Amino acid sequence: MDAFLADLRELVECESPSSDHGAVARSADVVARVGAAHLGAEPERIVLDGVTHLRWVLGSGSRRVLLVGHHDTVWPLGTLAVRPFSVEDGVVRGPGCFDMLTGLVMAFHALGSLAADGGPEALDGVTVLVTGDEELGSPTSRGLIEDEARLASAALVLEASADGGALKTERKGVSLYDVRLHGRAAHAGLEPERGVNATLELAHQALVVAALGDPDLGTTVTPTAGRSGTTTNTVPAAASFAVDARVRTVAEQDRVDAAMRALRPVLEGARVEVLGGPNRPPLERAMSTALLERAQGVAGRLGLPALTSVAVGGASDGNFTAGVGTPTLDGLGAVGGGAHADHEHVLVAPIEGRTALLARLVADLLAEPLRATNDLHPTGAVRP
């Protein structure tokens, strides 16, 4: 555990806010060094639009099990000065320790233990992908993640666990929209009747959009940030509002998207423009079932506590791996809490057992791969 915590300290103390490409590049150097020490190989550095990602393709180059993580964090440079890395009373604290640097160190130690026991050939078929822009929605890494997932029979995502160490077997898909309303300006006092009020059109459209949610299906469609107008005495000619939509199924994501595209103006002379769309497909429960059963079996053989699972609203890169038809199990990383918050922390006690679980699960999947990915996809076809 001392060696584990020393590796984790290195990662946490190299701050890596997603929007700072230089900081992410420096973090990638640290992750590469720590990873290579355990995996016995240097990663490939992949720089896309200035963002540095790392990929290890281990062994002969066959790709069967994909481990996915990210090394960027939400914390700005300088956070360490007020929230330094610490380990006290069995609790690790520091920016990014829970989301999700502990998960990366778990992956390196788990695979390193397999190599130590069985030689480098024990990792033949494993790919490790560590991206640098997950906290921004993976704008540059999405294609890379999806391409790697299509080559694998299983994807294991090292994001932090849910409460109590529960694995994440269902994640909502995310769609993001920018609804723009176009009207016509006029003097609000002299001749307001000559204008077309974009603020009023925004109000009409926001009500229509909010009604697209379906609580029974877990679908939320939420108008969020809005803006309109220029001065207090002018009928506004333009307005806009953002929409955050979360869904549990591909069918619901498609329904909401079609409804958003079908928005029509209420006021005569107004125009509605809808930009954006699905950002991440849902991780549907069917895509995790077989892997969860494997993990539960491994946990039982190791004498670990029974594994539980939950559905969560937040998204991860596991949405992308599942979206192309690859069985995916998420939340295999740290146990703790406070992601994106000042009380972010990791519990030390579960780390050893969960790292052993990850190691044996990888070995189990290499020895007996899951059946063809398309057979497990809930829609019967790979999503684009």
Side-chain angles (χ1 to χ4, degrees):
M1 188 52 61
D2 287 344
F4 186 102
L5 294 174
D7 287 342
L8 180 57
R9 176 188 287 273
E10 278 203 69
L11 268 59
V12 171
E13 291 187 342
C14 184
E15 294 176 301
S16 54
S18 307
S19 58
D20 188 325
H21 292 177
V24 171
R26 292 190 295 273
S27 171
D29 289 340
V30 175
V31 174
R33 183 173 67 251
V34 172
H38 293 278
L39 304 181
E42 290 290 331
E44 177 186 2
R45 284 171 169 78
I46 303 168
V47 180
L48 301 172
D49 293 338
V51 182
T52 306
H53 315 292
L54 302 172
R55 178 173 60 194
W56 282 267
V57 180
L58 302 171
S60 63
S62 65
R63 288 164 157 92
R64 286 176 283 164
V65 179
L66 173 64
L67 276 65
V68 181
H70 65 89
H71 67 103
D72 61 312
T73 73
V74 299
W75 298 103
L77 295 179
T79 301
L80 277 172
V82 293
R83 295 183 54 244
F85 179 88
S86 68
V87 184
E88 297 178 2
D89 300 324
V91 179
V92 178
R93 301 186 188 278
C97 65
F98 183 64
D99 184 13
M100 59 155 284
L101 300 176
T102 297
L104 292 185
V105 181
M106 287 173 59
F108 296 145
H109 279 251
L111 297 178
S113 71
L114 291 180
D117 292 340
E121 59 271 19
L123 302 182
D124 190 13
V126 174
T127 300
V128 181
L129 183 61
V130 183
T131 64
D133 61 356
E134 193 274 346
E135 297 293 2
L136 299 177
S138 307
T140 74
S141 60
R142 175 175 181 168
L144 183 62
I145 295 162
E146 291 175 333
D147 288 346
E148 288 298 331
R150 290 186 180 99
L151 299 172
S153 61
L156 306 178
V157 183
L158 277 301
E159 290 281 0
S161 68
D163 290 348
L167 301 183
K168 299 171 181 177
T169 50
E170 183 180 350
R171 284 186 181 272
K172 287 187 178 182
V174 180
S175 298
L176 302 173
Y177 298 94
D178 181 16
V179 181
R180 299 182 180 180
L181 301 315
H182 303 275
R184 184 170 60 246
H187 193 291
L190 294 177
E191 46 186 12
E193 70 281 358
R194 290 181 176 272
V196 177
N197 196 317
T199 298
L200 289 180
E201 187 64 44
L202 182 155
H204 286 298
Q205 296 299 330
L207 291 173
V208 172
V209 167
L212 295 176
D214 189 332
D216 292 338
L217 296 178
T219 300
T220 60
V221 184
T222 308
T224 57
R227 59 188 64 84
S228 66
T230 53
T231 67
T232 58
N233 61 351
T234 302
V235 174
S240 67
F241 65 98
V243 179
D244 180 301
R246 309 268 171 157
V247 299
R248 288 179 176 160
T249 66
V250 171
E252 272 295 274
Q253 192 165 51
D254 290 344
R255 178 190 70 82
V256 171
D257 190 61
M260 291 294 299
R261 306 294 174 196
L263 292 176
R264 296 294 180 266
V266 174
L267 302 180
E268 183 177 353
R271 183 166 60 89
V272 178
E273 181 183 11
V274 177
L275 304 178
N279 171 264
R280 294 178 191 262
L283 166 53
E284 298 189 40
R285 187 174 296 275
M287 296 302 295
S288 296
T289 301
L291 275 173
L292 176 63
E293 292 173 355
R294 286 286 192 97
Q296 289 171 329
V298 170
R301 292 193 294 274
L302 291 174
L304 297 173
L307 293 175
T308 60
S309 66
V310 296
V312 296
S316 82
D317 287 334
N319 292 66
F320 295 138
T321 60
V324 299
T326 302
T328 298
L329 189 58
D330 204 339
L332 285 159
V335 179
H340 299 194
D342 288 342
H343 65 285
E344 182 176 15
H345 66 279
V346 171
L347 302 180
V348 173
I351 289 175
E352 184 175 357
R354 289 180 76 87
T355 303
L357 169 68
L358 179 62
R360 297 320 308 168
L361 180 58
V362 169
D364 187 73
L365 291 168
L366 290 174
E368 188 180 348
L370 291 175
R371 59 196 175 94
T373 57
N374 286 357
D375 293 342
L376 293 172
H377 198 278
T379 64
V382 174
R383 292 278 293 166

